[in-house]
């Protein structure tokens, strides 16, 4: 299986996840009409049982962008795919346990009537399986590209600009404070046992694919923590991962701000501040990253960019020395640094360069 075949496979799987999400979004639009569906996404409350929530708007955008970015070989596609895979897995698992724990004698959603839990939950199970397969293929692609890089040249994903990495890491850190703080306050107010029930979502939802707020905050805490780690280490995966999280958060934040503006949702200072930070901050980070990509395009990108780790310098030096002994002209490509931190890494790259000159 070649890397190009893996690329096509992960793109198709991401678009399949988008199709599942988009189908149920369209279902709510058809059943309730566009005004009714918009009321559902902005207020979270409509009569009966629905299929989707405002989070599915962001999830659909993330899955679609990840699939298209992979097909068009856009830089950051690997980070987008990683985010799409983990977010889909995290936010579809609740529907799976809703389906498994539902029973005629004790319906999970009580007496609410509407979308079929069996149908929606069945597609959620399929989405979880696809996400697991997608994750396996991403690991396979990373292994294949590492081997290709070690055998041929010293290559690697371009590290994010320091300013962009700092900005995205700072945004995710502040958001994490909100998410951790809100769950801590909730636990203090209602107690850990009730908080556990809220996270599980028993009897608290009006949409099958929706997740309770405490569960959402737990998932976003983990995701933002991973994004902070990538940004702090300036890993090549960081830009795509940050853009993916932003695409996921912005639509739901916008619908919440809409609900606050028209007075259909109760307004609190914490809710408003969190939604503004998710929407405006995410938009700013996306603008920074897109600007970096446009200023530093690489027309010959052939890999998934963020998945390829740089080959250790010692490997490059050994490869160049072997080629020199065989009478061949070794060609070693050292990845360029794009910011003022390049000088700090010059000593680490010098052995490969000297071996190539030899």
């Amino acid at each position: 299986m070649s890397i190009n075949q893996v690329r096509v496979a992960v793109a198709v799987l991401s678009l399949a996840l988008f199709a599942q999400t988009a189908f149920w979004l369209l279902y709510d639009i058809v059943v309730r009409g566009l005004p009714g569906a918009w009321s559902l996404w902005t207020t979270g409350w409509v009569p009966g049982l629905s299929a989707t929530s405002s989070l599915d708007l962001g999830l659909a955008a993330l899955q679609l962008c990840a699939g298209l970015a992979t097909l068009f070989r856009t830089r950051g596609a690997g980070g987008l795919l990683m985010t799409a895979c983990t977010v889909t897995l995290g936010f579809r698992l609740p529907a799976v346990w809703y389906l498994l724990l539902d029973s005629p004698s004790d319906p999970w959603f009580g007496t609410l009537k509407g979308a079929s839990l069996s149908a929606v939950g069945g597609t959620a199970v399929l989405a979880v399986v696809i996400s697991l397969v997608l994750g396996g293929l991403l690991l396979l692609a990373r292994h294949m590209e590492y081997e290709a890089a070690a055998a041929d040249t010293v290559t690697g994903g371009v590290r994010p600009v320091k300013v962009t990495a700092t900005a995205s890491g700072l945004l995710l850190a502040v958001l994490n404070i909100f998410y951790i703080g809100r769950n801590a306050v909730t636990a203090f107010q209602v107690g850990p046992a009730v908080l556990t029930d809220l996270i599980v979502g028993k009897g608290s939802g009006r949409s099958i694919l929706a997740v309770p707020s405490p569960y959402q905050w737990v998932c976003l805490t983990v995701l933002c923590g991973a994004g902070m780690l990538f940004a702090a280490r300036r890993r090549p995966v960081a830009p795509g991962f940050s853009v993916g999280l932003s695409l996921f958060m912005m639509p739901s934040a916008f619908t919440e701000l809409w609900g606050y503006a028209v007075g259909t949702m109760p307004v609190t200072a914490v809710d408003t501040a969190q939604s503004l930070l998710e929407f405006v901050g995410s938009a700013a980070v996306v603008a920074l990253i897109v600007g970096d990509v446009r200023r530093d395009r690489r027309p010959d990108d052939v890999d998934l960019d963020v998945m390829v780790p740089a080959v250790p310098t010692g490997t490059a030096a050994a490869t160049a020395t072997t080629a020199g002994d065989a009478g061949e002209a070794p060609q070693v490509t050292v990845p360029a640094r794009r910011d003022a931190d390049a000088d700090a890494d010059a000593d680490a790259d010098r052995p490969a360069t000297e071996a190539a000159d030899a």
Side-chain angles (χ1 to χ4, degrees):
M1 194 173 189
S2 68
I3 186 60
N4 286 331
Q5 291 174 324
V6 174
R7 183 197 307 279
V8 173
V10 295
V12 170
L13 290 178
S14 182
L15 293 176
L17 293 174
F18 164 73
Q20 186 263 350
T21 306
F23 176 84
W24 293 113
L25 288 170
L26 291 174
Y27 169 85
D28 278 335
I29 293 176
V30 171
V31 171
R32 300 182 179 277
L34 186 56
W38 182 249
S39 177
L40 164 67
W41 299 328
T42 54
T43 67
W45 190 95
V46 290
L49 184 62
S50 305
T52 61
S53 70
S54 60
L55 289 175
D56 293 294
L57 297 172
L59 186 58
L62 170 60
Q63 293 162 342
L64 178 62
C65 289
L68 294 180
T70 306
L71 287 178
F72 291 104
R73 302 188 177 189
T74 304
R75 185 184 314 161
L80 282 169
L81 285 168
M82 182 184 298
T83 314
C85 177
T86 54
V87 170
T88 302
L89 186 62
F91 285 83
R92 286 294 179 257
L93 279 175
V96 175
W97 72 61
Y98 298 165
L99 178 64
L100 295 177
L101 298 178
D102 182 68
S103 66
S105 60
D106 185 20
W108 187 267
F109 292 98
T111 58
L112 292 177
K113 304 296 182 181
S116 169
L117 177 58
S118 298
V120 181
T123 62
V125 172
L126 180 61
V128 168
V129 173
I130 292 176
S131 298
L132 293 175
V133 175
L134 176 58
L137 287 176
L138 290 177
L139 292 176
L140 175 62
R142 184 182 187 277
H143 177 72
M144 293 172 64
E145 291 180 341
Y146 183 88
E147 287 186 340
D152 297 331
T153 59
V154 180
T155 62
V158 175
R159 298 169 68 192
V161 174
K162 189 173 184 178
V163 173
T164 304
T166 302
S168 61
L170 182 61
L171 171 66
L172 296 176
V174 175
L175 286 174
N176 242 353
I177 294 174
F178 272 93
Y179 302 141
I180 295 173
R182 300 199 70 171
N183 265 340
V185 170
T186 304
F188 177 77
Q189 291 175 340
V190 303
V194 177
L195 178 62
T196 302
D197 292 337
L198 291 175
I199 291 176
V200 172
K202 174 67 172 176
S204 62
R206 304 186 67 89
S207 173
I208 298 174
L209 293 178
V211 298
S213 293
Y215 179 88
Q216 175 185 339
W217 298 332
V218 169
C219 288
L220 290 177
T221 297
V222 176
L223 291 168
C224 289
M228 288 167 53
L229 179 62
F230 294 145
R233 300 180 64 182
R234 295 180 60 221
R235 297 294 299 272
V237 76
F241 196 87
S242 296
V243 169
L245 283 179
S246 298
L247 289 173
F248 175 65
M249 291 188 292
M250 281 194 294
S252 62
F254 176 77
T255 57
E256 288 183 5
L257 291 171
W258 182 284
Y260 300 151
V262 300
T264 56
M265 293 181 64
V267 181
T268 65
V270 174
D271 288 335
T272 304
Q274 178 182 319
S275 297
L276 280 172
L277 189 62
E278 288 174 339
F279 183 72
V280 178
S282 295
V285 167
V286 170
L288 280 173
I289 293 174
V290 170
D292 290 342
V293 172
R294 294 186 64 182
R295 284 192 299 269
D296 189 25
R297 290 181 176 177
R298 293 184 301 171
D300 297 328
D301 284 344
V302 295
D303 53 33
L304 291 180
D305 183 64
V306 294
M307 292 188 195
V308 186
V311 178
T313 304
T315 303
T319 303
T321 303
T322 303
D325 293 341
E328 301 175 357
Q331 296 181 354
V332 179
T333 303
V334 178
R337 306 299 185 193
R338 299 189 300 157
D339 53 37
D341 291 353
D343 294 338
D345 297 326
D347 292 338
D349 292 334
R350 186 172 295 117
T353 306
E354 292 174 355
D357 292 339

